[in-house]
Amino acid sequence: METVRAIEQRLGKKWVSISGALVATNQLLDALRASVADLDDPNYSIIVTGSLGRGEAGSDSDADWMLLLDGLSNPDHAAMTRTIEARIRQVVPNPPGSTGTFGGIVVSHDLVHYIAGTRDTNENLTRRILLLSESRALTNEIVRGRVIGNVLARYVVHDRSVPSKTGKQPAIPHFLVNDVVRYWRTIASDYASKMWERDRKEWGIRNIKLRFSRKLLFVWGLIASFSGELFPTPELTTAKSDDEYLRILSDVIRQQTNVTPLELLARVVEQAGDDQIADEIFTSYDHFLEVLAGQDTRAALQSVRFEDATSDQTYDDLRETSRKFREALVKLFFDKHQQLPRLMRDFGVF
Amino acid sequence: MRPIGFSTGALAKGDFACGVQLQRGVDGINAIELSALRDHELVPLVEALSTLDLSGFHYISFHAPSRLTSLSEEKVIGLLLSLPRSWPIIVHPEIIKTPSLWLKLESRLCLENMDNRKSGGRTLTELRELFASFPDATFCLDAGHAKQIDPTMAMAILMLREFGSRLRQVHVSDVGAAGEHLSVGIMARVAFSRLAQHVPSSCPLIIESIIGSELIRAEVRSVTAAFERWLSFDAPEASDAAAN
């Protein structure tokens, strides 16, 4: 998070929760990698997503993991998932979410071939977008990178539904932008659905995560989709053919999958050169992580009743902070940045 | 005509003389890689060089051992330095434990990008670090390894763009999940054809597909077609090559 750190130093701020979470994440990732090091295999990668992927984990975090298969199938993979689960649980005791989206086998073919269309389930969409936006490999980074490359090739290289009149290829992959927007709208809708199905159980923490960390994933997705314009490379401008251009563009986007959402946002904030926006975004997010890291405050957020929303200090304070976070993002994306307002207008809405 | 031929190890594992014999005089083959992939093959191969009939091969390269079990690095370097200076020496990066020894090979040192089983030399970033340590080294693109790491071939394209001036030869085969070298099928041919415009027509293609001798000519035709022109699944060139 070198850009976050640079902004922090320039503004004379102390975002201790952001830096503390990164340290905690790296320690957890080291421990997790050590715990499964002997389970390495060329046909799969053991992946974690969630706060571990974003560099925002703490002592109360869970570990959403998947056995990402990209090779020969083998019935023994089922037994392997149980071994992985046991090893991970020794390091991170909290179990993954109850939806079944994580904690088992994920086959790369579904992620690559079932993008949109009737076979793309909510679960598949979630796994795919989280693989791109907030995943880290515990074993075999090559497999993770390969699957991500194939998914992005679907979005970028093979999305030629309309031939170009000018012969000039677009720097913005519409298919990817649309799926990023779709995922954000899906998790926002699923929040409402879960509130209905679970009678608002843990609604407070879900609501606050939607306002911060889930929204940050959307931010990551937009910036990554626009990275051909935001972070152009010399190779893009000297591509020898349309096909090569799209493959290099796909690779430019792939590079962002190794950057945490907060760091990628910081790089765009730096481009905008607006210190007030920078302060509002990162001070707000630091406060969000501070509340999640505190045992008492996190527990308060988990147990707050819907009826007490306006009177609960922890929730109400974070809701207020989330508004500052949102307003700063709106200023960045629709006003202050040199390119984002045009990109949002041209590709983000209609 | 582009130099093209086989690695002796692909045609006859552990029997370099047979690997030479099987391809010598075959129409269209004018290049060869002498392979001592297992270190116990190195001394016999070096000692037998004067007896091998290599006439007809306009390009000759030499594949160094990929793992040392019976020979020291010093001994290997001594043997490699005794080879004709015009022969590139293909080296897997992970064998290099003492860089100062390998620097003695200067531009004869030809580093190969690796597959998923290895711990380095696999990606653009890892190759960049290697070439920084060996500034005079040349480059052997292993197209199959690159495809195994990134089937979209974006990484291979970027490797060729960045290290194209170092490119000495291309290894060609498909590579399976466990790193096994396979015959070049339609998926590999289409993928490799995306590299064609970055591989000069003078650059030798060394085939590493492990195939029976009866398939040598067909494999040469397939590989040649892949690096001649853009192929796609519905293009006649692709189906012609498959039919042959």
Side-chain angles (χ1 to χ4, degrees):
Chain A
M1 294 230 206
E2 63 273 18
T3 315
V4 178
R5 184 79 55 250
I7 296 172
E8 181 184 34
Q9 287 176 354
R10 195 181 68 244
L11 299 186
K13 297 286 179 178
K14 291 284 181 198
W15 294 321
V16 294
S17 297
I18 291 175
S19 51
L22 184 62
V23 170
T25 301
N26 288 335
Q27 288 171 347
L28 281 170
L29 286 176
D30 286 346
L32 286 166
R33 285 179 177 130
S35 76
V36 296
D38 60 326
L39 307 182
D40 193 17
D41 185 272
N43 289 297
Y44 62 69
S45 172
I46 304 171
I47 303 277
V48 288
T49 64
S51 58
L52 283 164
R54 294 193 306 276
E56 300 173 7
S59 56
D60 281 337
S61 294
D62 55 14
D64 289 337
W65 64 270
M66 56 176 131
L67 180 66
L68 178 60
L69 275 179
D70 188 43
L72 303 177
S73 67
N74 184 332
D76 289 342
H77 287 146
M80 178 56 67
T81 61
R82 293 188 282 277
T83 303
I84 293 167
E85 171 68 15
R87 299 276 186 93
I88 286 182
R89 216 46 61 222
Q90 287 172 0
V91 179
V92 180
N94 290 340
S98 58
T99 59
T101 305
F102 298 103
I105 295 171
V106 173
V107 183
S108 64
H109 296 245
D110 292 354
L111 302 180
V112 174
H113 294 288
Y114 299 163
I115 302 183
T118 54
R119 288 180 290 190
D120 193 9
T121 60
N122 189 319
E123 197 171 62
N124 197 48
L125 170 69
T126 301
R127 289 167 172 166
R128 186 173 64 248
I129 298 293
L130 296 190
L131 178 68
L132 298 180
S133 59
E134 57 164 32
S135 71
R136 291 294 175 268
L138 299 183
T139 64
N140 214 333
E141 166 59 31
I142 292 291
V143 169
R144 173 183 170 270
R146 184 166 66 207
V147 175
I148 286 174
N150 283 334
V151 169
L152 288 172
R154 275 292 321 275
Y155 282 124
V156 181
V157 180
H158 299 282
D159 174 33
R160 300 189 195 181
S161 52
V162 181
S164 165
K165 256 186 175 177
T166 62
K168 185 171 179 276
Q169 292 297 332
I172 307 299
H174 294 71
F175 192 5
L176 177 60
V177 174
N178 287 338
D179 227 24
V180 162
V181 173
R182 177 166 76 115
Y183 179 64
W184 164 238
R185 297 300 179 195
T186 298
I187 53 179
S189 301
D190 283 354
Y191 162 76
S193 169
K194 283 176 182 169
M195 293 308 96
W196 177 262
E197 291 168 3
R198 299 174 187 181
D199 198 22
R200 292 177 177 149
K201 186 184 171 208
E202 293 197 333
W203 78 275
I205 196 161
R206 291 181 190 282
N207 179 275
I208 290 301
K209 283 184 177 177
L210 192 61
R211 291 165 180 269
F212 284 100
S213 49
R214 304 276 190 266
K215 186 171 289 174
L216 185 62
L217 291 185
F218 181 40
V219 167
W220 180 92
L222 289 172
I223 296 172
S225 301
F226 296 155
S227 54
E229 292 259 351
L230 297 173
F231 314 113
T233 65
E235 288 80 12
L236 268 178
T237 51
T238 55
K240 290 191 170 185
S241 65
D242 287 352
D243 184 84
E244 185 172 307
Y245 171 85
L246 292 172
R247 284 174 202 283
I248 294 172
L249 175 62
S250 180
D251 195 71
V252 170
I253 297 170
R254 173 160 60 174
Q255 290 170 31
Q256 317 313 329
T257 66
N258 295 321
V259 181
T260 65
L262 215 50
E263 169 64 17
L264 195 61
L265 173 59
R267 292 178 188 179
V268 171
V269 166
E270 276 294 75
Q271 290 177 343
D274 188 312
D275 287 347
Q276 190 184 349
I277 286 179
D279 188 9
E280 285 168 358
I281 285 176
F282 295 106
T283 299
S284 302
Y285 208 86
D286 187 68
H287 183 48
F288 161 67
L289 292 179
E290 179 190 4
V291 171
L292 284 196
Q295 272 194 333
D296 294 343
T297 46
R298 187 185 180 101
L301 210 51
Q302 282 171 323
S303 60
V304 60
R305 295 192 317 151
F306 184 76
E307 295 75 16
D308 299 332
T310 55
S311 59
D312 184 272
Q313 193 180 347
T314 306
Y315 174 78
D316 197 47
D317 170 50
L318 268 183
R319 177 160 64 176
E320 197 53 45
T321 306
S322 76
R323 287 176 179 147
K324 290 179 188 165
F325 180 62
R326 179 182 183 279
E327 283 164 18
L329 288 177
V330 169
K331 275 189 229 166
L332 175 70
F333 274 79
F334 291 92
D335 186 15
K336 296 292 186 181
H337 192 273
Q338 292 85 345
Q339 293 156 283
L340 281 173
R342 176 184 61 79
L343 294 168
M344 290 302 290
R345 188 197 63 207
D346 289 354
F347 303 102
V349 186
F350 295 110
Chain B
M1 180 184 162
R2 183 195 289 279
I4 186 166
F6 281 81
S7 161
T8 55
L11 291 180
K13 183 179 178 182
D15 187 348
F16 53 83
C18 180
V20 173
Q21 189 56 34
L22 281 172
Q23 55 185 316
R24 207 169 71 79
V26 173
D27 279 351
I29 289 184
N30 54 6
I32 191 168
E33 181 181 276
L34 302 170
S35 171
L37 212 54
R38 288 151 290 277
D39 65 353
H40 64 80
E41 297 169 340
L42 181 60
V43 172
L45 176 52
V46 171
E47 288 176 351
L49 284 176
S50 59
T51 67
L52 290 176
D53 184 357
L54 298 173
S55 58
F57 298 113
H58 305 312
Y59 171 83
I60 302 170
S61 62
F62 193 97
H63 204 310
S66 62
R67 203 153 49 105
L68 299 186
T69 55
S70 59
L71 297 176
S72 68
E73 261 184 307
E74 288 84 352
K75 174 74 174 172
V76 169
I77 292 294
L79 289 165
L80 295 177
L81 283 169
S82 73
L83 298 172
R85 289 193 64 84
S86 61
W87 292 5
I89 297 166
I90 315 304
V91 172
H92 291 182
E94 70 175 4
I95 198 183
I96 299 175
K97 307 297 181 204
T98 313
S100 58
L101 289 174
W102 296 87
L103 282 165
K104 291 179 185 173
L105 293 175
E106 300 173 333
S107 62
R108 296 159 73 188
L109 176 66
C110 187
L111 295 170
E112 176 181 344
N113 61 299
M114 301 312 300
D115 68 348
N116 191 18
R117 294 172 304 169
K118 306 298 191 298
S119 56
R122 299 164 298 181
T123 64
L124 188 66
T125 308
E126 290 172 353
L127 279 183
R128 200 175 281 147
E129 290 167 3
L130 274 168
F131 284 123
S133 300
F134 298 95
D136 295 329
T138 50
F139 178 36
C140 169
L141 174 75
D142 191 304
H145 288 167
K147 173 175 167 286
Q148 190 218 39
I149 298 290
D150 175 15
T152 74
M153 302 308 282
M155 195 170 294
I157 290 169
L158 291 168
M159 283 177 180
L160 286 168
R161 291 180 63 117
E162 186 159 337
F163 309 123
S165 62
R166 297 175 186 266
L167 185 66
R168 196 66 187 85
Q169 67 171 42
V170 178
H171 271 164
V172 188
S173 73
D174 204 349
V175 172
E180 67 273 30
H181 289 278
L182 307 168
S183 174
V184 177
I186 180 67
M187 301 295 287
R189 288 202 297 279
V190 170
F192 296 164
S193 78
R194 293 177 183 133
L195 307 178
Q197 57 191 333
H198 293 286
V199 179
S201 59
S202 58
C203 180
L205 303 178
I206 299 296
I207 303 171
E208 289 195 311
S209 316
I210 295 178
I211 55 169
S213 57
E214 73 280 8
L215 297 173
I216 288 176
R217 286 181 173 79
E219 194 74 356
V220 168
R221 279 196 298 272
S222 289
V223 169
T224 303
F227 283 86
E228 263 178 5
R229 66 185 78 85
W230 177 278
L231 300 180
S232 63
F233 299 115
D234 53 359
E237 291 88 346
S239 12
D240 287 346
N244 289 327

